[in-house]
Amino acid sequence: MTDGLDILKRGDARAAGWAVSPRLVPYPEAVAAMEARAAAIADGKADELVWLLEHPPLYTAGVSARPDDLLAPGDIPVFQTGRGGQFTYHGPGQRVAYVMLDLDRRGRDVRRFVRGLEAWIVDALSVFNVDSGAREGRVGVWVERRNGGLVREDKIAAIGVKIRRWVSFHGISLNVEPDLSHFGGIVPCGIREHGVTSLVDLGRPVSMDEADAALRGAFERVFGPVEGVEPPV
């Protein structure tokens, strides 16, 4: 899946920062930190950063979100966001990775960048013997579920990014062990005919630390080296 994606690696092989927040990070706090870091990267005042975290339960509405896709949010707050895409859910047990990369140094190719994000997730999932992939016309990463002669496809990871001044922010979310019932309050990513799954739901009892290790290795294979740094908040 990583074939043809070498352009996404920096020519100078400079490492991106890799930060993991140990606590739940409120969404407004994360967005403010991302906005500031992306601007600093564009100005040449900060290094690239991949920031791994978990949020408290919340829904986000991307720029293409349709009001009818907010079904029954209950007590879960809804945040408007500038990323691409529609409604999605974030919460404990889901690994969110905010990806702040200088695409000016990585090929200036947004389509290839999104392909790289897909390849990153697929490569990480393969560590746990999960066969996954992208689907034409559907954003994110999907797995097949078989029940007798029936086959369905469920989403295991979402992708939603924004590019400003050739710096990316927002990123991906991988379902490790979230409360899948919370996805019932929305139509995830505007797709009604498919479900949502997680590593644990697929019978892979993966810890968050194990998921992080797989994500780090796969990121380096697609995008190049990283080095551990402190989270921005």
Side-chain angles (χ1 to χ4, degrees):
M1 183 95 180
T2 60
D3 291 349
L5 295 175
D6 284 347
I7 192 174
L8 293 172
K9 295 180 179 178
R10 289 179 60 130
D12 58 8
R14 187 170 179 173
W18 186 270
V20 181
S21 285
R23 63 177 179 86
L24 298 181
V25 180
Y27 190 72
E29 189 176 319
V31 171
M34 274 195 294
E35 293 266 0
R37 184 60 171 250
I41 293 169
D43 290 336
K45 298 178 180 178
D47 293 330
E48 296 176 311
L49 178 67
V50 182
W51 181 20
L52 277 62
L53 53 82
E54 293 173 86
H55 286 304
L58 59 94
Y59 298 121
T60 64
V63 295
S64 302
R66 298 187 293 262
D68 289 349
D69 287 345
L70 183 62
L71 302 177
D75 295 331
I76 298 178
V78 181
F79 294 92
Q80 299 293 321
T81 182
R83 62 157 174 80
Q86 302 182 39
F87 281 103
T88 194
Y89 167 76
H90 296 311
Q94 182 191 73
R95 176 52 87 207
V96 173
Y98 289 132
V99 183
M100 291 155 271
L101 298 183
D102 184 354
L103 300 188
D104 191 43
R105 296 179 179 273
R106 293 177 180 268
R108 283 201 175 202
D109 189 325
V110 176
R111 287 180 181 273
R112 194 182 297 264
F113 173 59
V114 173
R115 279 184 53 218
L117 295 176
E118 294 168 344
W120 170 29
I121 299 166
V122 169
D123 192 351
L125 288 172
S126 72
V127 173
F128 307 111
N129 296 314
V130 173
D131 186 12
S132 65
R135 299 292 186 267
E136 188 69 30
R138 280 188 260 145
V139 179
V141 173
W142 301 79
V143 297
E144 284 191 355
R145 312 290 300 275
R146 296 183 179 272
N147 184 7
L150 299 177
V151 179
R152 77 179 197 207
E153 290 190 329
D154 288 348
K155 183 180 239 182
I156 193 168
I159 296 173
V161 295
K162 186 174 180 64
I163 311 295
R164 182 183 296 153
R165 296 168 64 195
W166 289 108
V167 175
S168 68
F169 54 114
H170 295 280
I172 65 108
S173 57
L174 172 64
N175 295 331
V176 179
E177 192 180 6
D179 184 342
L180 294 179
S181 71
H182 287 169
F183 285 92
I186 57 172
V187 178
C189 301
I191 299 173
R192 295 177 182 271
E193 62 271 26
H194 298 282
V196 179
T197 190
S198 69
L199 281 164
V200 170
D201 185 50
L202 291 173
R204 304 320 197 263
V206 174
S207 71
M208 195 64 76
D209 286 345
E210 290 169 328
D212 289 350
L215 285 168
R216 181 167 181 162
F219 185 92
E220 292 194 312
R221 287 187 286 275
V222 176
F223 291 99
V226 298
E227 60 182 3
V229 297
E230 291 297 313
V233 296

